Amino acid sequence: MAKCEICDKGIQTGHRISITRSQVSRRANRMWRPNVKKIQIREKNGTVRRAKVCTHCLRANKVTRAI
């Protein structure tokens, strides 16, 4: 399962609602998946490791990327 190791953002579930019929007559299950990337990060003690991090955490500079 894709899950961010920094903020624990994971899959959210809900219903896909068809509005073409009368109001909310048709419902289908669906999942919203987070945008998770597998990158190399540098930890505070200087070690480099691979981690699954969402793009929101990457843009907010919550991790230091090791290049």
Side-chain angles (χ1 to χ4, degrees):
M1 178 171 94
K3 190 175 222 182
C4 178
E5 295 181 17
I6 307 301
C7 66
D8 280 345
K9 183 187 289 185
I11 294 175
Q12 291 185 340
T13 59
H15 291 100
R16 181 182 293 126
I17 299 174
S18 172
I19 302 188
T20 58
R21 301 259 178 196
S22 64
Q23 294 297 324
V24 189
S25 61
R26 304 268 184 200
R27 292 185 184 188
N29 295 331
R30 76 158 287 188
M31 292 187 294
W32 285 269
R33 293 182 175 91
N35 191 2
V36 175
K37 308 290 184 189
K38 192 171 183 181
I39 62 165
Q40 287 186 347
I41 62 171
R42 187 176 307 277
E43 294 182 339
K44 292 185 180 183
N45 59 2
T47 61
V48 175
R49 69 176 181 96
R50 287 191 181 271
K52 292 180 181 176
V53 180
C54 69
T55 54
H56 183 76
C57 291
L58 280 173
R59 291 179 62 160
N61 290 327
K62 292 184 179 179
V63 294
T64 304
R65 196 168 186 165
I67 298 175

Coordinates of all heavy atoms in Angstrom, one line a residue:
M1 N 0.8 -1.2 0.0 CA 0.0 0.0 0.0 C 0.9 1.2 0.0 O 1.9 1.3 0.7 CB -0.9 0.0 1.2 CG -1.8 1.2 1.4 SD -3.0 1.0 2.6 CE -2.1 1.8 4.0
A2 N 0.5 2.2 -0.8 CA 1.3 3.5 -0.9 C 0.9 4.3 0.3 O -0.2 4.7 0.5 CB 1.0 4.2 -2.2
K3 N 1.9 4.6 1.1 CA 1.7 5.5 2.3 C 3.0 6.3 2.5 O 4.1 5.8 2.5 CB 1.4 4.6 3.5 CG 0.9 5.3 4.7 CD 0.6 4.3 5.8 CE -0.7 4.8 6.4 NZ -1.1 4.0 7.5
C4 N 2.8 7.6 2.8 CA 3.9 8.5 3.1 C 4.5 8.1 4.5 O 3.7 8.0 5.4 CB 3.4 9.9 3.0 SG 4.7 11.1 3.4
E5 N 5.8 8.0 4.5 CA 6.4 7.7 5.8 C 6.6 8.9 6.7 O 6.9 8.8 7.9 CB 7.8 7.1 5.5 CG 7.8 5.8 4.8 CD 9.1 5.2 4.6 OE1 10.1 5.6 5.3 OE2 9.2 4.3 3.8
I6 N 6.4 10.1 6.2 CA 6.5 11.3 6.9 C 5.2 11.7 7.6 O 5.1 11.9 8.8 CB 7.0 12.5 6.1 CG1 8.3 12.1 5.3 CG2 7.2 13.8 6.9 CD1 9.5 11.7 6.2
C7 N 4.1 11.8 6.8 CA 2.8 12.3 7.3 C 1.8 11.2 7.4 O 0.6 11.5 7.8 CB 2.3 13.4 6.5 SG 1.9 13.0 4.8
D8 N 2.1 10.0 7.1 CA 1.2 8.8 7.1 C -0.1 9.0 6.2 O -1.1 8.5 6.5 CB 0.7 8.5 8.5 CG 1.7 7.7 9.3 OD1 2.6 7.2 8.6 OD2 1.6 7.6 10.5
K9 N 0.1 9.8 5.1 CA -1.0 10.0 4.2 C -1.2 8.7 3.4 O -0.2 8.1 2.9 CB -0.7 11.1 3.2 CG -1.9 11.4 2.2 CD -1.4 12.4 1.2 CE -1.3 13.7 1.8 NZ -1.0 14.8 0.8
G10 N -2.4 8.1 3.4 CA -2.6 6.9 2.7 C -3.8 6.9 1.8 O -4.3 8.0 1.4
I11 N -4.3 5.8 1.4 CA -5.5 5.7 0.5 C -6.8 6.1 1.3 O -7.0 5.7 2.4 CB -5.6 4.3 0.0 CG1 -4.4 3.9 -0.9 CG2 -6.9 4.1 -0.8 CD1 -4.4 2.5 -1.4
Q12 N -7.6 6.9 0.6 CA -8.9 7.3 1.2 C -9.9 6.6 0.3 O -9.8 6.5 -0.9 CB -9.1 8.8 1.2 CG -8.2 9.5 2.1 CD -8.5 11.0 2.2 OE1 -9.1 11.6 1.3 NE2 -8.1 11.6 3.3
T13 N -11.0 6.2 0.9 CA -12.1 5.5 0.2 C -13.4 6.4 0.3 O -13.5 7.2 1.2 CB -12.4 4.1 0.8 OG1 -12.7 4.3 2.2 CG2 -11.1 3.3 0.7
G14 N -14.2 6.1 -0.7 CA -15.5 6.9 -0.7 C -16.4 6.3 -1.8 O -16.2 5.1 -2.2
H15 N -17.3 7.1 -2.3 CA -18.2 6.6 -3.4 C -18.1 7.5 -4.6 O -18.0 8.8 -4.5 CB -19.7 6.7 -2.9 CG -20.0 5.7 -1.8 ND1 -20.0 6.0 -0.5 CD2 -20.2 4.4 -1.9 CE1 -20.3 4.9 0.2 NE2 -20.4 3.9 -0.7
R16 N -18.1 6.9 -5.7 CA -18.3 7.7 -7.0 C -19.8 7.8 -7.2 O -20.5 6.8 -7.3 CB -17.6 6.9 -8.1 CG -17.7 7.6 -9.5 CD -17.1 6.8 -10.6 NE -15.7 6.8 -10.4 CZ -15.0 5.6 -10.4 NH1 -15.6 4.5 -10.5 NH2 -13.7 5.6 -10.2
I17 N -20.3 9.0 -7.3 CA -21.7 9.2 -7.4 C -22.1 9.6 -8.8 O -21.5 10.5 -9.4 CB -22.2 10.3 -6.4 CG1 -21.8 9.8 -5.0 CG2 -23.6 10.6 -6.6 CD1 -22.1 10.9 -4.0
S18 N -23.1 8.9 -9.4 CA -23.6 9.2 -10.7 C -24.7 10.2 -10.6 O -25.7 9.9 -10.0 CB -24.1 7.9 -11.4 OG -24.7 8.2 -12.6
I19 N -24.5 11.4 -11.2 CA -25.5 12.4 -11.1 C -26.4 12.4 -12.3 O -27.4 13.1 -12.4 CB -24.9 13.8 -10.9 CG1 -24.0 13.7 -9.6 CG2 -25.9 14.9 -10.8 CD1 -23.4 14.9 -9.1
T20 N -26.1 11.6 -13.3 CA -26.9 11.5 -14.5 C -28.3 10.9 -14.2 O -29.3 11.3 -14.9 CB -26.3 10.7 -15.6 OG1 -26.0 9.4 -15.2 CG2 -25.0 11.4 -16.1
R21 N -28.4 10.1 -13.2 CA -29.7 9.5 -12.8 C -30.4 10.5 -11.8 O -29.9 11.6 -11.6 CB -29.5 8.2 -12.2 CG -28.8 7.2 -13.1 CD -29.8 6.3 -13.7 NE -29.2 5.4 -14.6 CZ -29.9 4.7 -15.5 NH1 -31.2 4.8 -15.6 NH2 -29.3 3.8 -16.3
S22 N -31.5 10.0 -11.2 CA -32.2 10.9 -10.3 C -31.3 11.1 -9.0 O -31.1 10.1 -8.3 CB -33.5 10.3 -10.0 OG -33.4 9.1 -9.3
Q23 N -30.8 12.2 -8.8 CA -30.0 12.6 -7.7 C -28.9 11.6 -7.4 O -28.0 11.5 -8.2 CB -30.9 12.8 -6.4 CG -31.8 14.0 -6.6 CD -31.1 15.3 -6.7 OE1 -30.0 15.5 -6.1 NE2 -31.6 16.2 -7.5
V24 N -29.0 10.9 -6.3 CA -27.9 10.0 -5.9 C -28.4 8.5 -6.0 O -28.3 7.8 -5.0 CB -27.4 10.4 -4.5 CG1 -26.1 9.6 -4.2 CG2 -27.2 11.8 -4.4
S25 N -28.8 8.1 -7.1 CA -29.4 6.8 -7.2 C -28.3 5.7 -7.4 O -28.4 4.6 -6.9 CB -30.3 6.7 -8.4 OG -29.7 7.0 -9.6
R26 N -27.2 6.1 -8.0 CA -26.1 5.1 -8.3 C -24.9 5.5 -7.5 O -24.4 6.6 -7.5 CB -25.8 5.1 -9.8 CG -26.9 4.8 -10.7 CD -27.0 3.4 -10.9 NE -28.1 3.1 -11.9 CZ -28.7 2.0 -12.0 NH1 -28.3 1.0 -11.3 NH2 -29.6 1.8 -12.9
R27 N -24.3 4.5 -6.8 CA -23.0 4.7 -6.1 C -22.1 3.6 -6.4 O -22.5 2.4 -6.5 CB -23.2 4.8 -4.6 CG -24.0 6.0 -4.2 CD -24.1 6.0 -2.7 NE -24.9 7.2 -2.3 CZ -25.1 7.6 -1.1 NH1 -24.5 6.9 -0.1 NH2 -25.8 8.6 -0.8
A28 N -20.8 3.9 -6.6 CA -19.8 2.9 -6.8 C -18.6 3.2 -5.9 O -18.3 4.4 -5.7 CB -19.4 2.9 -8.3
N29 N -18.0 2.2 -5.4 CA -16.9 2.4 -4.5 C -15.6 2.9 -5.3 O -15.5 2.4 -6.5 CB -16.5 1.1 -3.8 CG -17.6 0.7 -2.8 OD1 -18.3 1.6 -2.3 ND2 -17.7 -0.6 -2.6
R30 N -14.8 3.7 -4.7 CA -13.6 4.1 -5.4 C -12.6 4.5 -4.3 O -12.9 4.6 -3.2 CB -13.8 5.3 -6.4 CG -14.0 6.6 -5.7 CD -13.7 7.8 -6.7 NE -12.3 7.9 -6.9 CZ -11.7 8.9 -7.5 NH1 -12.4 9.8 -8.0 NH2 -10.4 8.9 -7.7
M31 N -11.3 4.6 -4.8 CA -10.2 5.0 -3.9 C -9.5 6.2 -4.5 O -9.3 6.3 -5.7 CB -9.3 3.8 -3.8 CG -9.8 2.6 -3.1 SD -8.6 1.4 -2.7 CE -8.2 0.8 -4.4
W32 N -9.1 7.1 -3.6 CA -8.2 8.2 -3.9 C -6.8 7.9 -3.4 O -6.6 7.7 -2.2 CB -8.7 9.5 -3.3 CG -9.9 10.0 -4.0 CD1 -9.9 10.9 -5.0 CD2 -11.3 9.8 -3.7 NE1 -11.2 11.2 -5.4 CE2 -12.0 10.5 -4.6 CE3 -11.9 9.0 -2.7 CZ2 -13.4 10.5 -4.5 CZ3 -13.3 9.0 -2.7 CH2 -14.0 9.7 -3.6
R33 N -5.8 7.7 -4.3 CA -4.5 7.3 -3.9 C -3.6 8.6 -3.8 O -3.7 9.5 -4.6 CB -3.9 6.4 -4.9 CG -4.6 5.0 -4.9 CD -4.0 4.1 -5.9 NE -4.6 2.8 -5.8 CZ -5.7 2.4 -6.5 NH1 -6.2 3.3 -7.4 NH2 -6.2 1.2 -6.4
P34 N -2.7 8.6 -2.8 CA -1.8 9.7 -2.7 C -0.7 9.7 -3.7 O -0.3 8.6 -4.2 CB -1.2 9.6 -1.3 CG -1.3 8.1 -1.0 CD -2.5 7.6 -1.7
N35 N -0.1 10.8 -4.0 CA 1.0 10.9 -5.0 C 2.3 10.7 -4.2 O 2.9 11.6 -3.7 CB 1.0 12.3 -5.6 CG 1.9 12.3 -6.8 OD1 2.5 11.4 -7.2 ND2 2.0 13.5 -7.4
V36 N 2.7 9.4 -4.1 CA 3.9 9.0 -3.3 C 5.0 8.6 -4.2 O 4.8 7.9 -5.2 CB 3.5 7.8 -2.4 CG1 4.7 7.3 -1.7 CG2 2.4 8.2 -1.4
K37 N 6.2 9.2 -3.9 CA 7.4 8.9 -4.7 C 8.4 8.1 -3.8 O 8.5 8.4 -2.6 CB 8.1 10.2 -5.2 CG 7.2 11.1 -5.9 CD 6.8 10.5 -7.3 CE 6.0 11.5 -8.0 NZ 5.4 11.0 -9.2
K38 N 9.2 7.2 -4.4 CA 10.2 6.5 -3.7 C 11.5 7.2 -4.0 O 12.1 7.2 -5.1 CB 10.3 5.1 -4.1 CG 11.1 4.2 -3.3 CD 11.0 2.7 -3.6 CE 11.8 1.9 -2.7 NZ 11.7 0.5 -3.0
I39 N 12.1 7.9 -3.0 CA 13.3 8.8 -3.1 C 14.3 8.4 -2.1 O 14.0 7.7 -1.1 CB 12.9 10.3 -3.1 CG1 12.4 10.6 -1.7 CG2 12.0 10.7 -4.2 CD1 12.3 12.1 -1.4
Q40 N 15.5 8.9 -2.3 CA 16.5 8.8 -1.3 C 16.5 10.1 -0.4 O 16.5 11.2 -0.9 CB 17.9 8.6 -1.9 CG 18.1 7.3 -2.5 CD 19.6 7.1 -3.0 OE1 20.3 8.1 -3.1 NE2 19.9 5.9 -3.3
I41 N 16.4 9.9 0.9 CA 16.4 11.0 1.8 C 17.6 10.9 2.8 O 18.2 9.8 3.0 CB 15.1 11.0 2.7 CG1 15.0 9.8 3.6 CG2 13.9 11.2 1.8 CD1 13.9 9.9 4.6
R42 N 18.1 12.1 3.3 CA 19.2 12.1 4.2 C 18.6 12.4 5.6 O 17.9 13.4 5.8 CB 20.1 13.3 3.8 CG 21.4 13.3 4.7 CD 22.4 14.3 4.2 NE 22.7 14.2 2.8 CZ 23.6 13.4 2.3 NH1 24.3 12.6 3.1 NH2 23.8 13.4 1.0
E43 N 18.9 11.5 6.5 CA 18.4 11.6 7.9 C 19.2 12.6 8.7 O 20.3 13.1 8.2 CB 18.3 10.3 8.6 CG 17.3 9.3 7.9 CD 17.2 8.0 8.6 OE1 18.2 7.7 9.3 OE2 16.2 7.3 8.4
K44 N 18.8 12.9 9.9 CA 19.5 13.9 10.7 C 20.9 13.5 11.1 O 21.8 14.3 11.3 CB 18.7 14.3 11.9 CG 17.4 15.0 11.6 CD 16.6 15.4 12.8 CE 15.4 16.1 12.4 NZ 14.6 16.7 13.5
N45 N 21.1 12.2 11.2 CA 22.4 11.7 11.6 C 23.3 11.5 10.4 O 24.5 11.1 10.5 CB 22.3 10.4 12.4 CG 21.7 9.3 11.6 OD1 21.3 9.5 10.5 ND2 21.5 8.2 12.2
G46 N 22.9 11.9 9.2 CA 23.7 11.9 8.0 C 23.6 10.6 7.1 O 24.2 10.6 6.1
T47 N 22.9 9.6 7.6 CA 22.7 8.4 6.8 C 21.7 8.6 5.7 O 20.8 9.5 5.8 CB 22.2 7.2 7.6 OG1 21.0 7.5 8.2 CG2 23.2 6.9 8.7
V48 N 21.9 7.9 4.6 CA 21.0 8.0 3.4 C 20.2 6.7 3.3 O 20.8 5.6 3.5 CB 21.8 8.2 2.1 CG1 20.9 8.2 0.9 CG2 22.6 9.5 2.2
R49 N 18.9 6.9 3.1 CA 18.0 5.7 2.9 C 16.9 6.0 2.0 O 16.6 7.2 1.7 CB 17.5 5.2 4.3 CG 16.5 6.2 4.9 CD 15.9 5.6 6.2 NE 14.9 6.4 6.7 CZ 13.6 6.3 6.6 NH1 13.1 5.4 5.8 NH2 12.7 7.2 7.1
R50 N 16.3 4.9 1.5 CA 15.2 5.1 0.6 C 13.9 5.2 1.4 O 13.7 4.5 2.4 CB 15.0 3.9 -0.4 CG 16.1 3.9 -1.5 CD 15.7 2.9 -2.5 NE 16.8 2.9 -3.5 CZ 16.8 3.7 -4.6 NH1 15.8 4.5 -4.8 NH2 17.7 3.6 -5.5
A51 N 13.0 6.1 1.0 CA 11.7 6.2 1.7 C 10.6 6.6 0.7 O 10.9 7.1 -0.4 CB 11.8 7.3 2.7
K52 N 9.4 6.2 1.0 CA 8.2 6.6 0.2 C 7.7 7.9 0.8 O 7.3 8.0 2.0 CB 7.1 5.6 0.3 CG 7.6 4.3 -0.5 CD 6.5 3.3 -0.4 CE 6.9 2.0 -1.1 NZ 5.9 0.9 -1.0
V53 N 7.7 9.0 0.1 CA 7.3 10.3 0.5 C 6.3 10.9 -0.4 O 6.5 10.9 -1.6 CB 8.6 11.3 0.7 CG1 8.2 12.6 1.2 CG2 9.6 10.6 1.6
C54 N 5.3 11.6 0.1 CA 4.3 12.2 -0.8 C 4.8 13.5 -1.3 O 5.7 14.1 -0.7 CB 3.0 12.4 0.0 SG 3.0 13.6 1.3
T55 N 4.3 14.0 -2.4 CA 4.8 15.2 -3.0 C 4.5 16.4 -2.2 O 5.2 17.4 -2.3 CB 4.2 15.4 -4.4 OG1 2.8 15.3 -4.3 CG2 4.7 14.3 -5.3
H56 N 3.5 16.4 -1.3 CA 3.2 17.5 -0.5 C 4.3 17.7 0.6 O 4.7 18.8 0.8 CB 1.9 17.3 0.3 CG 1.4 18.4 1.1 ND1 0.9 19.6 0.6 CD2 1.5 18.6 2.5 CE1 0.7 20.4 1.6 NE2 1.0 19.8 2.8
C57 N 4.8 16.6 1.1 CA 6.0 16.7 2.1 C 7.3 17.1 1.3 O 8.1 17.9 1.9 CB 6.2 15.4 2.8 SG 4.9 15.0 3.9
L58 N 7.4 16.7 0.1 CA 8.6 17.1 -0.7 C 8.6 18.6 -0.9 O 9.6 19.3 -0.7 CB 8.7 16.4 -2.0 CG 9.2 15.0 -2.0 CD1 9.0 14.4 -3.4 CD2 10.6 15.0 -1.6
R59 N 7.5 19.2 -1.3 CA 7.4 20.6 -1.6 C 7.4 21.5 -0.4 O 7.9 22.6 -0.4 CB 6.1 20.9 -2.4 CG 6.1 20.3 -3.8 CD 4.8 20.6 -4.5 NE 4.6 22.0 -4.6 CZ 3.8 22.6 -5.5 NH1 3.1 21.8 -6.3 NH2 3.7 23.9 -5.5
A60 N 7.0 20.9 0.8 CA 7.0 21.6 2.0 C 8.4 21.6 2.7 O 8.5 22.1 3.9 CB 5.9 21.1 3.0
N61 N 9.4 20.9 2.1 CA 10.7 20.7 2.7 C 10.7 20.0 4.0 O 11.5 20.4 4.9 CB 11.5 22.0 2.7 CG 11.8 22.6 1.4 OD1 12.1 21.8 0.5 ND2 11.8 23.8 1.2
K62 N 9.9 19.0 4.2 CA 9.8 18.3 5.4 C 10.9 17.2 5.5 O 11.2 16.7 6.5 CB 8.5 17.6 5.6 CG 7.4 18.6 5.9 CD 6.1 17.9 6.2 CE 5.0 19.0 6.4 NZ 3.7 18.3 6.7
V63 N 11.5 16.9 4.3 CA 12.6 16.0 4.2 C 13.7 16.6 3.4 O 13.5 17.5 2.6 CB 12.2 14.6 3.5 CG1 11.2 13.9 4.4 CG2 11.6 14.9 2.2
T64 N 15.0 16.1 3.6 CA 16.1 16.6 2.8 C 16.4 15.5 1.8 O 16.7 14.3 2.2 CB 17.3 16.8 3.8 OG1 16.9 17.7 4.8 CG2 18.5 17.4 3.0
R65 N 16.4 15.8 0.6 CA 16.6 14.9 -0.5 C 18.1 14.7 -0.7 O 18.9 15.6 -0.8 CB 16.0 15.4 -1.8 CG 15.8 14.3 -2.8 CD 14.9 14.8 -3.9 NE 14.7 13.7 -4.8 CZ 13.8 13.7 -5.7 NH1 13.0 14.7 -5.8 NH2 13.6 12.7 -6.5
A66 N 18.6 13.4 -0.7 CA 20.0 13.1 -1.0 C 20.2 12.8 -2.5 O 19.5 12.0 -3.0 CB 20.4 11.9 -0.2
I67 N 21.0 13.6 -3.1 CA 21.2 13.5 -4.5 C 22.7 13.0 -4.8 O 23.6 13.4 -4.1 CB 21.0 14.8 -5.2 CG1 19.5 15.2 -5.0 CG2 21.3 14.7 -6.7 CD1 19.2 16.5 -5.6

